[in-house]
Every structure is written in C-alpha cells, then in structure tokens.
Amino acid sequence: MDKIVTKALSLFYGEKRILKEIDLKIPQNNITAIIGPSGCGKSSLLRCMNRLNDLIPESRIEGQILFDGKDLYAENTDVVEIRRRIGMVFQRPNPFPKSVYDNIAYGLRINGIKNKKKLSEIVEKSLKDSGLWEEVKHQLNTSAMELSGGQQQRLCIARALAIEPEVILMDEPCSALDPAGTFKIEELMIKLKQQYTIIIVTHNMQQAARVSDFTGFLYLGQLIEFGHTNQIFTIPEHKLTENYITGRFG
Amino acid sequence: MKLKRFEEAVGFGILGLSAITVLLILCIIVFDITKKGAGAISWQFLVDFPREGMTQGGIFPAIIGTIFVTFITALFSIPLGVSAAIYLSEYAKEGRFTRFIRVSIRNLAGVPSIVYGLFGVALFVEGLRFGTSVLSSGLTLGLLTLPWIIATSEEAFKTVPQSYREGALALGATKWQSIRSNVLPSAFPGILTGGILGLSRAAGETAPILFTGVAFYLPRLPDSVFDQFMALPYHLYILSTQHHAIEQVRPLAYGTALVLIALVFMVNLTAIILRYRYRKKFSM
C-alpha cells in the first residue's frame, strides 16, 4: 500500500522552481531513499511532506501530495496534526536545550499528555526503541547538549518516535555522524520499518543501498528514476542514474 | 617590508590607545566620584530623610523613589516590549509594513529624553489624568525604554537557532507552543540582559521624570503609584545646580552620585550573573 503519493508535485521559492512535476509513491512499512547530488531538491521534497516548507516565505507548490489518500495541501488540512503523524529527523541533530527526559516528553506534553507515570513509560519505551536507553538511563536529567552527536541524533529519533507518527522523514540523518554512529542509526532504521514508513534523504549512496527497499534518484529538481533499490543500483534504466551511482558526478 | 611592519605597529598603537582612553575616562569619573563622595556615605546617609533644607541627613526617599519608579517602568515596558519583539521576529511577514515599524522603533530610540518627558506630561499626566505621579513617570520612562527592549529582544530571538523552532513544529507543536517552550527560554538570557540594561539607563534619567512626577522634596515616602516621589538623578541635579548653598552640599551631591552609580552598577552586575547562570544551566 502507498502511504504517501505525490502527483505532479512542483515546488517554487518565489520565481525559482525547486521541484518539477514529481510523481512518487512511497510504500508503507518500507524504507524509501531519495538520492541525488547536492542542491537537487531532495531535502525540499522531504520538507513538502510535513509542510515544513510553509515556514519559507514565498514558497508554494503545484500538484498534490496524498497522505493516506488525503490531500496534504487541501484548505482544511490541520498542519499541526499532519506534523504529528509525519515525524522528522533533521540533518544536524537538534535536541532542545533541555534535559534528555524533557526532550522526549516535549512532543507528548504539547499533545496533551500530562500524566507523569505515562510520560515516564513512553520516554523509556522511546529510548529503548531508539537504542539509547542503556546509554542514558542514569542521566535522564542531564542536558541533552552533553550527549555525543550520534547519541543526540538517536535522541531526536526517540523524540520523533514518542508521539507515534506513521511516517518518519529523515533528512540526511547521518551526515554529521561518525561511522559508528551511522551504523547504529542504519540498524535502527531497519528495525523501525516494521512499524513505520521511513523516507530517508541521503547523499551517501552506500547508505541508500544498504538500508533502503526503494530508491528514487533526483536530479535538478526532477525525479529521474524510481524503483526497487536492487534494480536502481544494479541495472539502472537511465544513463544519468548510472553515472551518478557509479560516481561519475555528484 | 619594513614599512608594512611599521604601518601595522602604528595601527595597533592607535587602536590600543583608543581602548585605553575610553577605559581611562571611565576610571577617572569613577575614581573622582568615589574619592569625593565616599566621605558622605554612611548608613545614616542611606536610610535617613534629607533634613535642614537638604544640607543634612540622607537620601533614603530618593533611593526608594528611584527603585519604585524603575519597577513600574519594568512592569510596563518588559511585557510590552518582549511581546512586540515576538511579533516582529516570529509572526510578522517581512515587507514594507514591518520595515516601517522597525525604522520607527529605531528612530524612537534616538528621540531626546526631554521629548519623552513632555509627551509623558501630555499623555499620562494630563490626558489620562494620572497626575504628576510615580505611575506617570514610570510609564514615561517605559516609553523611553521600549525601543531598546524591543531591539535587544528581537536580537535575542534572532540568535535562537532555526532548528529549535523546526524541531518543535515537526513534533506537531503549534507556532505559539514552539515559541513559548523553545524560543523564549533560549532567548531569555539575551532578553534579560537587554531589559536590565535598558532599565538601568532609565533609572538614571532625569528629563522624563522632571515634569511627570518627581518631587523636589518630600518629607515622606510615596504611598501609592499616584503619589509624587523623589529620585536619585533629580536629587543630584538639585544638589549640584539648584540648591541655595551649593558649596555646602557638594559632598552630599557626590555621595548621591556615588549611590546612583553603585545602584546602576549593581543592577548591571545582576544581569551579567543571571545570564551566566542561565547559560551554564543549559550548557549552550
């Protein structure tokens, strides 16, 4: 089943066209990777899906994005609700300057969960799910800023998991991490796809090949090719894709 | 090659000299006032009323008056200024209108304080019928402080990383939730410092309170916000220029100046300590 479908999606920043008529189907409970050279619009595409581009003045879209069949950009869409159901992990780990505990409880509190016992339960579960529990269980009250980069990123994932979204958007989640940190996040993603639909933007092709089930190749704002990851990385249909994955440009 | 070195040495020399000059001027002022004012300072001076036509006694009502009026100023200008800054930095769309607002605020900051004083008379004393009172003076000083508070708060909001906002929004926070729980706390040290510095400047102003509420001499403390009050800067002004026995009260004038400077210095120090603590707490 397709969780998110884009139909002839174009994105503009002012006069500038960032994305050009993208048709994409994101299958549920899979990891879909979006690859492409810097500046091709990967991150912008991702940020259309939780409407974070709304923050950019003068940005507008044409076409449609369907989430469970419903138009994300319809007039009556509750953007806050959408962002609760479609979580996001950012390129640079962005924990809030609060304690580890409060970072995770944040999303719960703003969504109206006040019960202390319940909060603690969910915080623990989220940290376990993100593989961080053993490392931080004795320092839940210390500032999240004191964690390592990799730990911070897993904290951000835990924070996203806590409010039980249906989709997790990951915007180059490992680009600021060392190999060990990267490995842990990749392992985690594979575990998480049982429960979540994951879309990851990456400029690391090995990463896309390792973790994803489907891959889309984006070039200058256009979706050049989309298909099973195996197929894209072994027998790409398009010359551009082949050139990119074999490292001839990028 | 040699010429270049020489040029650099001269350049550094001039820059260093400028820095030292500024520091020196400050030191001379503080030293002079301390030397001439220290003799007047005593516990009695701080807690006693002026007596014998201000030639004897202390400056207690002026100290209390200044603290009282500054408190009113804070109560008025900080909430209003911070709210305006939130609007400008977080909500307002960039455009001709917001640019106009910003330019206006910057210009307001440059308006001479006597103009604020006269405006305060027209608006608060006469217009709103608050009379010459702590309230009128506090609000007038508030108007004077507002542009400064708005500007420093907005600056503080600008330094909050965009990722704090996005992170909160991506979790389904409303804009206001993200501002209240993420943006405001992070900007707080900056707002605090700006606010306190603005207030300490207001506390030392004379012109805005001159016609709006400050009294030449009161034999008692103000009993409500609608009462008149004595204030340190005005008291100092009287002692140094308006008194019938200027030579005789000169030491008292220096003492008053010293207390005023010490008060302002203490307030600024508080700002620095608070900011330092706050930063440390969040290890940013």
Side-chain angles (χ1 to χ4, degrees):
Chain A
M1 199 193 124
D2 296 326
K3 192 72 181 168
I4 293 182
V5 178
T6 72
K7 286 185 174 167
L9 174 72
S10 294
L11 171 72
F12 299 84
Y13 290 159
E15 292 299 303
K16 204 173 162 213
R17 187 181 201 146
I18 307 295
L19 298 173
K20 201 172 172 187
E21 293 177 3
I22 291 183
D23 290 297
L24 191 62
K25 288 178 177 163
I26 308 286
Q28 190 165 10
N29 291 97
N30 278 289
I31 300 177
T32 304
I34 311 286
I35 59 170
S38 301
C40 68
K42 311 182 290 278
S43 295
S44 300
L45 173 60
L46 209 61
R47 293 163 71 95
C48 282
M49 295 178 183
N50 65 348
R51 293 196 51 174
L52 217 51
N53 279 335
D54 290 13
L55 300 186
I56 298 167
E58 316 237 315
S59 78
R60 67 189 167 85
I61 70 149
E62 282 171 10
Q64 275 189 319
I65 303 180
L66 303 178
F67 172 51
D68 280 345
K70 275 194 210 114
D71 187 358
L72 274 185
Y73 282 79
E75 283 277 321
N76 58 358
T77 304
D78 180 354
V79 181
V80 168
E81 168 69 8
I82 288 301
R83 293 191 186 130
R84 199 197 61 71
R85 291 171 63 192
I86 305 181
M88 187 167 206
V89 176
F90 294 81
Q91 188 168 355
R92 301 204 130 267
N94 63 340
F96 304 137
K98 303 175 190 291
S99 70
V100 170
Y101 183 96
D102 285 337
N103 258 279
I104 301 189
Y106 182 83
L108 301 165
R109 288 188 179 127
I110 58 170
N111 284 296
I113 299 174
K114 297 261 150 57
N115 183 314
K116 282 225 171 90
K117 192 159 161 273
K118 194 160 181 207
L119 279 176
S120 297
E121 273 172 25
I122 303 178
V123 167
E124 182 175 339
K125 181 176 182 302
S126 310
L127 283 170
K128 279 180 175 157
D129 286 348
S130 71
L132 196 58
W133 177 251
E134 287 304 318
E135 292 159 59
V136 301
K137 64 181 174 187
H138 297 304
Q139 43 176 328
L140 292 178
N141 290 318
T142 55
S143 169
M145 307 310 241
E146 283 169 32
L147 302 179
S148 75
Q151 288 175 325
Q152 286 186 359
Q153 195 61 304
R154 277 180 288 145
L155 180 72
C156 291
I157 294 175
R159 191 171 71 185
L161 297 180
I163 52 172
E164 300 188 318
E166 295 156 46
V167 178
I168 302 175
L169 308 173
M170 294 185 158
D171 187 358
E172 303 193 27
C174 302
S175 65
L177 306 185
D178 63 10
T182 304
F183 178 72
K184 281 195 175 151
I185 302 257
E186 288 180 3
E187 249 188 342
L188 178 59
M189 289 173 66
I190 290 167
K191 199 178 89 190
L192 291 175
K193 76 173 176 181
Q194 313 295 331
Q195 238 186 307
Y196 304 92
T197 303
I198 298 177
I199 309 174
I200 177 173
V201 155
T202 176
H203 55 215
N204 178 337
M205 280 170 288
Q206 287 78 18
Q207 182 169 61
R210 278 194 302 263
V211 300
S212 71
D213 305 296
F214 294 87
T215 297
F217 172 56
L218 209 60
Y219 183 64
L220 297 179
Q222 277 182 293
L223 185 67
I224 305 296
E225 194 168 344
F226 184 82
H228 284 280
T229 299
N230 278 338
Q231 175 253 312
I232 296 273
F233 279 91
T234 49
I235 37 167
E237 279 173 13
H238 207 288
K239 191 75 189 156
L240 267 173
T241 316
E242 192 185 323
N243 286 346
Y244 181 70
I245 60 173
T246 51
R248 260 172 238 157
F249 73 95
Chain B
M1 219 28 217
K2 261 193 172 160
L3 185 70
K4 263 171 78 176
R5 290 257 169 81
F6 178 70
E7 270 177 13
E8 182 167 31
V10 170
F12 274 140
I14 292 174
L15 294 176
L17 219 62
S18 311
I20 290 169
T21 311
V22 172
L23 201 66
L24 213 63
I25 294 172
L26 183 71
C27 286
I28 290 171
I29 295 175
V30 172
F31 179 76
D32 186 56
I33 291 177
T34 310
K35 200 181 87 185
K36 292 177 180 160
I41 303 284
S42 65
W43 181 246
Q44 209 56 34
F45 185 68
L46 296 178
V47 299
D48 204 1
F49 278 77
R51 278 182 283 111
E52 313 291 331
M54 297 190 196
T55 55
Q56 300 285 320
I59 54 170
F60 182 61
I63 296 177
I64 296 299
T66 289
I67 292 173
F68 193 10
V69 79
T70 309
F71 183 71
I72 300 289
T73 303
L75 231 49
F76 168 63
S77 63
I78 290 181
L80 197 62
V82 173
S83 306
I86 291 178
Y87 173 76
L88 281 175
S89 134
E90 308 294 319
Y91 284 96
K93 285 203 170 73
E94 288 302 319
R96 202 173 286 173
F97 181 60
T98 42
R99 236 175 299 146
F100 175 71
I101 294 181
R102 280 209 183 85
V103 169
S104 308
I105 290 170
R106 225 167 284 150
N107 280 326
L108 275 178
V111 172
S113 54
I114 185 69
V115 177
Y116 279 101
L118 293 171
F119 181 74
V121 172
L123 181 61
F124 301 123
V125 178
E126 303 291 336
L128 295 171
R129 304 206 175 282
F130 293 155
T132 48
S133 60
V134 177
L135 184 62
S136 292
S137 286
L139 294 177
T140 308
L141 286 174
L143 289 182
L144 176 94
T145 322
L146 259 182
W148 166 265
I149 290 187
I150 294 173
T152 51
S153 304
E154 211 190 334
E155 233 19 76
F157 286 123
K158 290 252 148 70
T159 61
V160 177
Q162 186 64 10
S163 64
Y164 291 181
R165 297 183 180 87
E166 289 184 347
L169 293 177
L171 289 168
T174 60
K175 192 160 184 170
W176 172 239
Q177 282 172 326
S178 109
I179 291 172
R180 204 191 52 198
S181 58
N182 274 9
V183 181
L184 256 178
S186 303
F188 187 71
I191 294 173
L192 191 74
T193 320
I196 291 183
L197 290 180
L199 288 177
S200 75
R201 216 199 100 194
E205 281 286 351
T206 314
I209 59 177
L210 195 56
F211 312 120
T212 54
V214 77
F216 182 79
Y217 171 72
L218 272 184
R220 54 185 170 77
L221 296 178
D223 53 17
S224 81
V225 293
F226 293 108
D227 207 353
Q228 288 191 312
F229 62 103
M230 291 181 71
L232 287 171
Y234 186 60
H235 190 65
L236 176 59
Y237 167 70
I238 291 166
L239 291 183
S240 40
T241 63
Q242 307 294 306
H243 201 270
H244 59 84
I246 287 181
E247 287 308 319
Q248 198 192 340
V249 296
R250 181 95 345 135
L252 293 182
Y254 273 110
T256 308
L258 186 58
V259 170
L260 181 57
I261 288 183
L263 209 67
V264 167
F265 180 72
M266 267 170 3
V267 168
N268 290 357
L269 196 68
T270 315
I272 293 168
I273 291 170
L274 281 177
R275 183 177 52 176
Y276 179 74
R277 281 226 185 131
Y278 206 84
R279 285 248 165 98
K280 216 171 151 192
K281 192 171 145 202
F282 288 97
S283 63
M284 284 191 295

